[in-house]
Amino acid sequence: MRKILIVLMPLLLAACVDDSASYYADGPVGNHALTIHRAQKHFWSKEARVELIMQRLPDCMRRIDLTEMPADEVEIELLSGGDNVWTLRAGSEMWQIETQTCTLYPDVKGDGGELMGVFRDDGGKFVYEAAVIETVPADTK
C-alpha cells in the first residue's frame, strides 16, 4: 500500500495551485514590490488561500493573509493612492496597505486611487497585468 501511495503522490500534487505574481513599484530590479500568492491546501479543494507579500527593503517585509477564493477565479486589482499607499480590490473585498511602515489599515479610506493593474489567472498561470493608460488628446482649436 505504501508503494502505491508513493507512486501516486506526484499525480495527486500535480493538480494543486501554488504560484504568485508581482508588481514592482520601482522597476524590475528594485526593492519595492507587492506580490500576490495563491495556494490550494489540497488538490481536491477548489478554494485557494490568497496572501499579500509586501516589501520595500530594507524597511518593510510582511506577509498578510487576505482571503480564500476559487483558485481559477483569483482576480485582484491594484490601485495606487500615492505616498506608498496601495489598495487591493477583489469584488466587494478591499484592503489598504502602506509600504513605508508595512501597515495594513483596518479600513479603506477614499476610492483607492489610480488603477495600476490586475493580478489574475491567465490560462492556469498567475500573472500581473499592468493597466493600459490611454491618453485623451486635447481638443485643438
Side-chain angles (χ1 to χ4, degrees):
M1 181 67 168
R2 183 181 290 198
K3 290 179 184 178
I4 293 173
L5 286 176
I6 291 172
V7 171
L8 292 177
M9 188 57 74
L11 296 174
L12 297 176
L13 294 176
C16 290
V17 170
D18 188 352
D19 55 5
S20 61
S22 297
Y23 165 74
Y24 298 95
D26 57 357
V29 294
N31 293 320
H32 191 182
L34 301 171
T35 301
I36 299 293
H37 178 241
R38 67 176 180 165
Q40 284 175 283
K41 188 169 182 156
H42 307 288
F43 75 93
W44 60 83
S45 174
K46 292 183 180 183
E47 297 290 308
R49 181 183 65 179
V50 180
E51 58 189 5
L52 166 70
I53 303 159
M54 62 174 142
Q55 73 176 31
R56 193 186 56 73
L57 299 175
D59 301 319
C60 170
M61 181 72 157
R62 184 174 177 192
R63 180 182 299 250
I64 299 170
D65 284 326
L66 297 179
T67 191
E68 285 197 7
M69 59 178 61
D72 58 348
E73 295 178 19
V74 175
E75 187 167 305
I76 299 176
E77 295 175 324
L78 174 65
L79 301 110
S80 172
D83 295 328
N84 294 323
V85 175
W86 307 91
T87 302
L88 300 162
R89 179 172 51 206
S92 62
E93 293 185 85
M94 292 179 74
W95 306 270
Q96 198 164 56
I97 60 165
E98 187 261 316
T99 55
Q100 189 68 32
T101 59
C102 259
T103 302
L104 170 66
Y105 294 124
D107 298 312
V108 175
K109 295 177 179 64
D111 64 354
E114 177 185 353
L115 178 66
M116 301 303 292
V118 178
F119 296 93
R120 67 177 191 83
D121 184 279
D122 183 17
K125 182 179 180 188
F126 198 56
V127 298
Y128 172 77
E129 286 185 353
V132 177
I133 301 170
E134 294 182 18
T135 57
V136 178
D139 289 336
T140 56
K141 293 185 179 185

